[in-house]
Amino acid sequence: MPRTMHAAVVTAFKQPLVLREWEVPRPGPGQILVKTEACGVCHTDLHAANGDWPLKPDPPFIPGHEAIGIVVALGAGVTVVKEGDRVGVPWLYSACGHCEYCLSAWETVCDHAEFGGYTRNGGFAEYVLADPNYVAHIPEGLGPQEAAPLICAGITTYKGIKETDARPGEWIAISGCGGLGHLAIQYAKAMGLMVCGVDIDDGKLAHATSLGADLVINASTHDPAEVLGQETGGGAHGVLITAPSLPAFKQGVAMTRKRGTCVLVGLPPGSFPLEIFNLVAGCITVRGSFVGTRKDMAECLDFAARGKVRADIELQPLSAINTIFERLETGDVPSRVVLDFAGPVPESITSRANANADSGLGADADSATKPAAVLA
Ligand code: NAD
Ligand code: ZN
Ligand code: ZN
C-alpha cells in the first residue's frame, strides 16, 4: 500500500479545489479501505465545496460520493465484505442502525448519519475509507465508470419516482434533465410511466427525447404548467424536481395534477413560496426525498444490471475537477462526468513532504467519528 495518494481537496468554501498528496487512510475496526476506480461528480459536490447548506462540512475535506472501487484492506471485525469485492461508497456513508428511522428502513434520515464526501472524506481520491454495512454492492457485469452515477444520481431519482406514487400509465414530470434527470427519465420509462422532461437547455431536452421522454418543455421559453396541463388534461400525477434552481420549485408544484405528489430532490439553497389555496383545494402533496436506503440501492443497480437504465458518462481525470465544477455551475455538463482513476497520474498534483501535517485530517483523524449534529 502506498503511503500517500492523490486527492482533490476543499480547503476553503467557494475556492478552487487543491490537488495534492494526502496520506492513505488506514481502516480502523469495522472499516474497509477501497481503491477508487471511478467517482462521479454530482452537483451536490459543488454545493459542498461552496458551503451552500445550513449543515456545513468542515474544510479541509475530500468531496465525492459516487466512488466505485475494489476493497483492498479490511479493519478488524469486518465480515460482510471481502478483499477484491467491487463496492460503491455512497452519500449515506453510515447510520446508527438503532434509531426509530433506522429501525423502520428510513436510515436516510438517521440523526447520526454520516455523509460521504461531506462529513467523511469521499471519492475524489485514489483511496477512500468506507463502512462495510452501508456500501453499495456492484453487480457483476456493471463496470465501475458506468456504475458510479447510479449510487447517487440513480438511487436518488429511482427512490424519488417511487415517492411520487405515480402508477404505470400515469404522467411524471422530471424537472431538470442533467445528471439526476437523465437517469430519472430512464427509470420512469422502465417503470411504465409517461414522461415529460423539463429543462432550460434545448440540448438537455433533445437528449431527454432520445432517452424516451414522451414530451419535453423548455421552461425558459414556455410556462411548463400550462403546456403540461393542456397535454395531459390537468398536469402530472407525479413531479420530480431535480433542478438546482428555485424557479423550478414553484413551477414543479404548479405542474402537479390534483391529488398528485410533487417530490423535491434538487437542493438549491433557499426557500420558495407555496400557494396555499391551490395545494388545499387540489389535495396536492409536496414531499422531500433524500437519496435512498440500501434496499433502494440494490434495486436501482439491478435495473442497470438488466440493461434497463444506462448512465451517460464523460470520463475525465481527477486533475480536471475545477473545470468540471465550472461547467456544472453553468449547465455545461451534458449528463454526468465521471473521474476515471485508471488514467495517468495528474501532473498538477502538488507534492508535499508531509501532506496532512497542516490539515488536522490525516489517516487517524479521518477514522474518527464526526457527528453531523456538531457541524451546524
Ligand atoms: P446537474 O447540474 O447535472 O443538472 C441540473 C439540471 O437542471 C441541468 O440540466 C440544468 O440545465 C437544469 N436546470 C437548471 N435550472 C433549471 C430550471 N429553472 N428548470 C428546469 N431545469 C433547470 O445537477 P445534478 O447532479 O443532477 O443535481 C441536481 C440537484 O439535485 C442538486 O441541487 C443536487 O445537490 C441535488 N441532489 C439531491 C439529492 C437528494 O438526495 N435529494 C441527491 C443528489 C443530488
Ligand atoms: Zn449526489
Ligand atoms: Zn439511526
Side-chain angles (χ1 to χ4, degrees), residues 165-347:
D165 294 328
R167 302 172 70 88
E170 294 185 338
W171 277 94
I172 186 164
I174 310 290
S175 169
C177 300
L180 264 62
H182 92 283
L183 287 169
I185 291 164
Q186 298 179 57
Y187 279 111
K189 287 312 297 176
M191 291 155 88
L193 295 160
M194 296 291 288
V195 175
C196 171
V198 180
D199 206 291
I200 53 172
D201 179 306
D202 281 332
K204 303 272 173 61
L205 293 172
H207 190 210
T209 302
S210 74
L211 293 171
D214 302 279
L215 173 69
V216 292
I217 304 171
N218 187 325
S220 63
T221 54
H222 292 81
D223 176 352
E226 198 181 306
V227 178
L228 193 68
Q230 281 162 8
E231 295 286 334
T232 62
H237 303 82
V239 175
L240 183 72
I241 306 176
T242 78
S245 150
L246 289 176
F249 283 69
K250 194 165 177 229
Q251 286 169 349
V253 175
M255 284 191 279
T256 313
R257 199 182 191 91
K258 289 180 186 172
R259 300 210 56 237
T261 300
C262 180
V263 171
L264 321 182
V265 297
L267 274 165
S271 56
F272 72 102
L274 284 172
E275 194 77 47
I276 295 170
F277 182 82
N278 290 349
L279 283 192
V280 172
C283 295
I284 285 168
T285 303
V286 178
R287 179 180 286 170
S289 185
F290 200 41
V291 285
T293 64
R294 290 167 289 179
K295 180 82 163 43
D296 297 316
M297 183 70 86
E299 291 172 12
C300 89
L301 288 169
D302 191 49
F303 272 73
R306 287 186 288 113
K308 304 284 181 197
V309 166
R310 194 173 60 85
D312 285 327
I313 54 173
E314 172 190 327
L315 297 182
Q316 290 286 351
L318 179 67
S319 56
I321 191 63
N322 287 313
T323 313
I324 299 164
F325 270 18
E326 280 164 26
R327 289 174 57 203
L328 260 185
E329 189 109 58
T330 55
D332 188 33
V333 171
S335 297
R336 199 53 136 200
V337 171
V338 172
L339 302 174
D340 183 9
F341 287 78
V345 170
E347 280 171 18

